Amino acid sequence: MPLSTQDAASALDDIADVQHRASVLNGYQQGAPHFFLWGTIWFIGYAATDLWPQWAWAVWLALDVGGMTGSFLLGSASMSRSGVSSAGYGRRFSATSLAIVALIAATFYILAPTKAAQFGAFPALVIAALYTGFGIWRGTRWAVAGMVLGACTVGGYALFKEHFNLWLAASGAATLLLSGAWLRRA
Amino acid sequence: MAAAPNELIHQPLRLRIMAALNSLPPRESLEFTRLKSIVAATDGNLGAHLATLENARYVRIDKDFLEKKPRTRIAITREGRQALMQHVAYLRNILDGVV
């Protein structure tokens, strides 16, 4: 029996809806290991910053280089498993990482922080905004993770200034690790 | 170009199953529970429609054990992708007024 235009339009809408859901869930699966990696880095970095502030730059430099390398390897492995060509992935990944680092460095240069907590708060807010923005397009769970991270950062800055980095180590790492588990269960 | 709808694929849940599987890269499969969540179906309903699609050789179903737990994975076959593409082309042609 021939189909009406309404039937055809409805079927095509259904296909688009399912493909979107599949893509969102696939993104969650691919994102989860990165949340576990960066949740661990986050905890070590902010805890070390609170305990040994004089070594904070060296600790963060080592952790960020390690984290970016780890994320790159996780992304490459995921693309290789799914049979997607990874040509240009390294270049795009490095450029994105550099853009984030450059944004934070340029902001520190132009709007120089006057308090130690501001050094810790701003990168956390940038990450929170990136997750939230990404989630608006690619899946609610990313956005929820970003908003919780942002709320923990602002709330901690207002309430726990003395041990802000320790607060951020605990609350930020917990948010990222729990978000990773939440993404994996999707 | 298909001159008629593929009645087997056009059933709403089977269409959603095929669309979900078609979004995977070649050689990739979806676990039963994940497919169930994507297409929003019950276990029994999904199982019955998968059996129909498997009989038509549109999907391949592999059952094994992972850490002593049974696991069912479903993948779309080449015939399945072709059939879906032809059906989608038919649907687009209806909207374009070609059919």
Side-chain angles (χ1 to χ4, degrees):
Chain A
M1 189 180 75
L3 301 174
S4 68
T5 52
Q6 284 89 348
D7 289 338
S10 162
L12 287 172
D13 282 348
D14 241 14
I15 291 172
D17 175 57
V18 165
Q19 283 175 336
H20 175 71
R21 281 174 63 85
S23 158
V24 166
L25 290 179
N26 190 37
Y28 287 163
Q29 291 304 305
Q30 289 181 353
H34 295 270
F35 273 77
F36 293 132
L37 173 67
W38 285 99
T40 307
I41 286 173
W42 188 284
F43 180 77
I44 297 170
Y46 279 108
T49 303
D50 190 83
L51 296 171
W52 306 289
Q54 70 276 23
W55 294 106
W57 282 104
V59 167
W60 275 112
L61 183 64
L63 287 173
D64 285 340
V65 169
M68 285 175 195
T69 308
S71 274
F72 171 75
L73 294 175
L74 285 171
S76 298
S78 167
M79 291 177 89
S80 160
R81 267 199 312 275
S82 62
V84 177
S85 165
S86 58
Y89 173 73
R91 206 170 49 245
R92 286 198 301 274
F93 183 87
S94 305
T96 306
S97 304
L98 276 177
I100 296 168
V101 171
L103 167 71
I104 294 169
T107 307
F108 280 166
Y109 175 69
I110 294 170
L111 303 168
T114 55
K115 297 170 190 163
Q118 292 172 331
F119 277 104
F122 183 66
L125 285 178
V126 169
I127 300 302
L130 286 173
Y131 284 154
T132 305
F134 185 72
I136 289 168
W137 293 94
R138 298 286 298 159
T140 316
R141 294 186 187 202
W142 292 89
V144 171
M147 287 187 288
V148 173
L149 201 55
C152 287
T153 306
V154 175
Y157 187 81
L159 299 171
F160 309 113
K161 272 213 178 85
E162 275 206 16
H163 286 289
F164 174 66
N165 286 313
L166 213 51
W167 158 259
L168 213 49
S171 65
T175 302
L176 291 175
L177 295 173
L178 289 172
S179 299
W182 192 34
L183 293 187
R184 202 167 59 175
R185 283 172 58 92
Chain B
M1 183 192 81
N6 184 324
E7 296 290 351
L8 199 138
I9 288 182
H10 190 68
Q11 195 281 336
L13 182 53
R14 288 199 286 266
L15 185 65
R16 292 174 74 79
I17 293 169
M18 293 296 284
L21 295 174
N22 190 51
S23 68
L24 295 171
R27 299 185 304 279
E28 281 277 295
S29 57
L30 270 179
E31 286 197 31
F32 186 89
T33 48
R34 181 155 300 277
L35 180 60
K36 189 176 81 167
S37 130
I38 293 172
V39 302
T42 60
D43 282 8
N45 208 8
L46 180 58
H49 285 294
L50 280 175
T52 305
L53 290 169
E54 188 183 29
N55 287 337
R57 297 178 190 270
Y58 287 167
V59 302
R60 193 184 65 249
I61 300 174
D62 294 314
K63 295 185 179 186
D64 61 3
F65 285 86
L66 180 70
E67 293 166 3
K68 296 182 181 174
K69 287 182 183 167
R71 177 175 65 164
T72 303
R73 287 177 299 165
I74 303 108
I76 192 168
T77 62
R78 188 183 298 179
E79 293 88 338
R81 277 191 206 275
Q82 280 173 355
L84 181 67
M85 289 301 103
Q86 284 173 358
H87 186 62
V88 168
Y90 173 78
L91 297 173
R92 290 202 175 119
N93 284 335
I94 291 177
L95 291 185
D96 293 342
V98 177
V99 175

